[in-house]
Amino acid sequence: MKRQQGMSLAAVLMFLVLVGFAVLAIFKIAPVYSEFGDVRNTLKGLAIETNVGEHTLRQEFDQRASVAGIISIKGENLTVIAGNGSNYLRAQYKREVPLFGNVSLLFNFDTEAGQPSAQ
């Protein structure tokens, strides 16, 4: 008699559960990192603006954030130093993403653009 080979039903089910969890995690995590990329690009764009003040930079960030769909941080939460011809912007924020039930992932982001003016 030949011996049967292959995976048992329990092994197949366990494999499907693991693959399902991985797919769920990817679909929940991808938008968070996409938003972080948008925040970083927005800060880089604002850092090269010249002859604008701190208040204007914050307002401009809010306008660009609404277009890009950034919801995790607002202009009032940025660290902004506007100087003579150079701007420094820094965004530090946390984003909590619920996975299922009472299980969530917490992401800490920190990005900056521009050079702080020497004082």
Side-chain angles (χ1 to χ4, degrees):
M1 268 190 160
K2 283 190 167 185
R3 186 163 188 212
Q4 289 186 350
Q5 294 180 356
M7 294 173 55
S8 68
L9 180 61
V12 170
L13 290 177
M14 185 60 108
F15 176 74
L16 290 177
V17 166
L18 290 175
V19 168
F21 181 75
V23 168
L24 172 71
I26 288 170
F27 280 128
K28 295 280 188 161
I29 293 171
V32 173
Y33 278 99
S34 174
E35 181 186 52
F36 174 67
D38 291 339
V39 168
R40 187 175 48 220
N41 291 337
T42 301
L43 291 182
K44 285 180 183 177
L46 291 174
I48 60 174
E49 299 247 343
T50 57
N51 298 326
V52 293
E54 178 181 327
H55 182 70
T56 305
L57 288 171
R58 291 180 193 277
Q59 285 181 333
E60 185 71 24
F61 178 84
D62 285 337
Q63 291 173 355
R64 292 182 185 193
S66 67
V67 171
I70 298 170
I71 59 172
S72 296
I73 189 167
K74 302 289 181 207
E76 62 194 31
N77 304 118
L78 297 174
T79 301
V80 178
I81 301 172
N84 297 339
S86 70
N87 299 318
Y88 173 76
L89 295 100
R90 183 175 185 185
Q92 290 179 295
Y93 64 99
K94 295 180 181 187
R95 174 88 186 262
E96 184 176 353
V97 178
L99 280 181
F100 54 86
N102 62 351
V103 177
S104 298
L105 297 173
L106 180 64
F107 297 91
N108 293 309
F109 292 109
D110 186 1
T111 186
E112 59 188 12
Q115 297 294 325
S117 59
Q119 299 195 10

